[in-house]
């Protein structure tokens, strides 16, 4: 690595835009996937596209790897500086650049937290629809990298459906515009390729996003069940009626216990799973009538599936509280153990009952704790293993259990990741789903944009020998 | 080109799968963009993925260009065999391979007509949502290549939002699986890249698509206006209320005249534009109440914008007839002149009033006829020039007028194509929207998948010298 790397960067950008030293190294050595860590040589804090391009060009000239980072709320190690080098933090790139209410569009810098996009236009009855649980901090750029979803993905779609265009610094340091402010941008859909590209195809610095009308009629309810199977079967039955609720979430007894302790969440004794359902409708329709009818249909299905209690949120305050609790679910589990690894897989919705049985069985077999809080409507699982990451034996078991679950998702016709990406965590899982020819196509796609492998190395597909070494190193530590 | 090309292919596939001779050449020398033509050396009719792979490998071994073709309903020359070679017709690949009602998925071969996908599951209350006007013949593979939309795109999205995975023969003849039967396939979104890739990145042979519940409550109405501006301003105002109708279409007086002559469509004298609006809702809600309220809101807006007549379809028969008429709109204009070229551009919705004024002014300036029938809700224009393509002077004027309109779309913050692709028609327009660096990114994307340029050459981006020669040749003839 270049000597005086941080000094060089400080000369390039100004001293106030470069962090170095042990504190910076520790703060930027992982995301929430804490079982893998790697220190950066320096962290830069650009405030505009040109700054980013300068850094990327400098890295290319000096063969230094670089990794862009938003809020670091990812859970597959996507912002881990796997081979050291420079972390490009977007935390000073938080400006809204243009709001076009008439055409329902907004342009903002990549480092803006997701929720601030919505806050800016809520007085106009609009919002940015993707709503990851981390939305108060997780950034637009991070959401683009991971193609983030959230509870309302079921009805409103994931990030890729809400991004129209972007300014990106290519892995070689050129500034390009992809897409634009209207849909149907001509030529190849490079926007779609970059969204979900996990930051390996360039550094997105600004983006045009769609704004969606805030629903006017909303009903939110929780349904308690004595078995997880009753809850998962309700989900399949609700969707089978043709209704698409805005959200259909499940929390199991382990999550509920933590949420009871943290926020006083109430539920009947003996509850094995709580279903959280939201129905909504657009601003012109009659909220009282339409949404009430939809919710009654959902309630009817839950009653047939042996719901033990059904509570409809009485007002907006109660509704907001329910969502606050849901979104803090994983945080609340911090009480259960020092470390939590949230897994992410997706299966056809109809396989949920059998898959959940499998998740509990695997956890029992390995003797690790598991809690489930997930987007049931999408068939998107999030088994959370809680453990002590200071004990290598526990770490090994958690990794093994996670891999078994991931394999099962694939066997059931699903995928190794629902919305949290491959990162470093699941690089080894790709061959479960893809043939050599399929992976060769993926590798080609990576290589066009990232020929020398400096841009966020070792993610999605391992692209150089040093990645294998990095992996051996951390797995060696953990196992 | 290889001698005895057709004989070679017949040995490879069997004689019944190869067409040759003047009739085949004429039938496959263009799509509906008739101002550019080029004869294939042979046409093959594979019935499975393996057949396609055999042909593509043979073409690679013999440096013969190849172009996949569905129904040939495209309008930018996307299936034109620009450098001759082999046309791979998917017309015998029309099988449905799997229907998964529980998870609302279907797998089918690429040559199946769009409408047959929906027909197969309509008894189950489901359909394939993208509905191009050509849907009774245009194929799944063609819809994937062009990322087709239709009137209901406004609410339900374009093809890319409904395709989950695919089997593709790469430009080198390997068979790969991209994506799968659930969303969130890991790695780079190659499915998204292939959809809209205009057949230049490989030959899609099978695909997994999402099925969408058929709306239960539907109201369809037409609103007549004495000026086009009143109609376009109504569109912006309807969207501004927060309502998203299922469809929001405009037909101008020239289209209406043709539709009156062909189908007896009625409208008040002095009508300059007819707005066709559909509101719908899901199966659980109360169709009578909900949809009626939404339609009333739309009607209120139209009244404020000086609608001269409002007619709500009385029953399903009347509704079906209205859509039949709308979808035959361009066909009906065949009465106006021997040739029609349908242009395609998109602008921010708010710019519709000024853009339509511009379209008429350009047509007047060049002395060519223009009729407009378009997806107003999406800001997606379709100016249709009617002319006699046997007169080179008229062809030149039509091309010039089209280019002026396309330029104006870009100036207004829109795009050179809404849903019909670049094809050969708009290759020259790409620099209007993209810098050299931007286009270099596009070229890279094309080159990885299509290194030797044999797969559907000369489309999207001109990738070899012979494309320029092809273009000079046909422009030379036309001008």
């Amino acid at each position: 690595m270049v000597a005086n790397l941080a000094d060089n960067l400080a000369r390039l950008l100004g001293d106030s835009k470069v962090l170095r030293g042990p504190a910076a190294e520790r703060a930027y050595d992982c995301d929430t996937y804490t079982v893998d860590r790697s220190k950066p040589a320096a962290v830069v804090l650009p405030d505009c596209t040109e700054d980013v391009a300068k850094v990327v060009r400098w890295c290319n000239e000096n063969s230094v790897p670089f990794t862009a980072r938003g809020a670091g709320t990812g859970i597959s190690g996507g912002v881990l500086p796997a081979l050291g080098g420079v972390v490009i933090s977007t935390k000073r790139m938080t400006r809204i650049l243009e709001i076009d209410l008439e055409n329902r569009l907004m342009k903002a810098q990549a480092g803006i937290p997701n929720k601030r996009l919505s806050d800016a236009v809520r007085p106009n009855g609009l919002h940015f629809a993707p709503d990851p649980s981390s939305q108060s901090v997780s950034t637009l750029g991070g959401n683009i990298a991971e193609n983030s979803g959230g509870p309302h993905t079921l009805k409103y779609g994931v990030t890729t459906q809400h991004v129209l265009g972007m300014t990106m610094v290519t892995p070689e340091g050129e500034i390009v515009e992809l897409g634009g402010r209207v849909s149907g941008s001509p030529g190849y859909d490079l926007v779609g390729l970059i969204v979900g590209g996990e930051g390996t195809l360039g550094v997105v610095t600004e983006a045009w996003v769609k704004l969606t009308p805030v629903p006017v009629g909303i009903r939110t309810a929780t349904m308690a069940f004595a078995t997880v199977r009753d809850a998962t079967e309700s989900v399949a039955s609700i969707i089978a009626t043709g209704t698409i609720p805005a959200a259909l979430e499940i929390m199991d007894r382990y999550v509920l216990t933590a949420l009871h302790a943290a926020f006083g969440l109430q539920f009947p004794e003996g509850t094995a799973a709580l279903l959280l359902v939201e129905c909504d409708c657009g601003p012109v329709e009659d909220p009282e009538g339409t949404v009430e009818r939809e919710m009654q249909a959902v309630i009817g299905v839950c009653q047939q599936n042996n719901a033990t209690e059904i509570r409809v949120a009485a007002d907006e305050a109660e509704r907001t509280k329910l969502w606050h609790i849901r979104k803090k679910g994983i945080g609340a589990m911090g009480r259960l153990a020092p470390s939590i690894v949230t897994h992410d897989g997706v299966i056809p919705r109809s396989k949920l009952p059998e898959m959940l049985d499998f998740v509990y069985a695997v956890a029992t077999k390995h003797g690790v704790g598991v809690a489930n809080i997930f987007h049931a409507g999408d068939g998107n699982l999030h088994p959370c293993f809680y453990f002590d990451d200071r004990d290598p034996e526990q770490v090994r078991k958690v990794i093994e259990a996670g891999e078994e679950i991931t394999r099962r998702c694939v066997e059931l016709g699903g995928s190794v990741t629902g919305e949290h990406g491959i990162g470093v965590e699941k690089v080894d899982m790709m061959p479960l789903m893809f043939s050599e020819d399929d992976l060769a196509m993926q590798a080609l796609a990576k290589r066009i944009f990232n020929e020398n492998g400096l841009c966020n190395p070792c993610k999605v597909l391992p692209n150089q020998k040093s990645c294998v070494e990095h992996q051996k190193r951390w797995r060696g530590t953990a196992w």
Side-chain angles (χ1 to χ4, degrees), chain A residues 252-272:
Chain A
D252 77 2
R253 77 171 81 227
Y254 307 99
V255 177
L256 294 175
T257 305
L259 288 172
H260 175 74
F263 302 105
L265 179 69
Q266 297 299 316
F267 45 88
E269 225 185 284
T271 298

Side-chain angles (χ1 to χ4, degrees), chain A residues 96 104-110 112-123 125-132 135 138-145 147-150 152-153 156-165 195 207-215 327:
Chain A
I96 290 174
R104 297 210 187 116
L105 309 170
M106 181 189 272
K107 190 181 194 181
Q109 286 185 304
I112 191 169
N114 169 303
K115 191 167 167 296
R116 274 193 47 206
L117 296 170
S118 292
D119 290 346
V121 290
R122 203 171 293 274
L126 297 171
H127 73 308
F128 179 60
D131 63 335
Q135 71 188 133
S138 77
T139 63
L140 173 57
N143 294 171
I144 288 173
N147 192 17
S148 303
H152 292 80
T153 293
Y156 295 101
V158 290
T159 300
T160 196
Q161 280 144 34
H162 300 272
V163 174
L164 292 163
V195 178
W208 279 106
V209 300
K210 284 186 211 172
L211 300 172
T212 304
V214 176
K327 295 200 170 182

Side-chain angles (χ1 to χ4, degrees), chain A residues 262-321:
Chain A
F263 302 105
L265 179 69
Q266 297 299 316
F267 45 88
E269 225 185 284
T271 298
L274 198 71
L275 191 60
L276 171 59
V277 182
E278 187 158 284
C279 298
D280 69 13
C281 69
V284 173
E285 300 163 38
D286 161 32
E288 291 309 312
T290 305
V291 176
E292 185 56 31
R293 275 187 298 276
E294 192 165 316
M295 184 54 90
Q296 285 308 323
V298 169
I299 287 173
V301 169
C302 293
Q303 282 167 337
Q304 277 166 29
N305 283 281
N306 316 312
T308 56
E309 187 186 68
I310 291 168
R311 297 165 74 127
V312 180
D315 53 26
E316 183 58 22
E318 204 177 313
R319 191 184 86 81
T320 306
K321 193 179 167 203

Side-chain angles (χ1 to χ4, degrees), chain A residues 4-15:
Chain A
N4 304 322
L5 186 148
D7 291 341
N8 277 301
L9 290 168
R11 263 194 296 280
L12 200 66
L13 298 180
D15 210 41

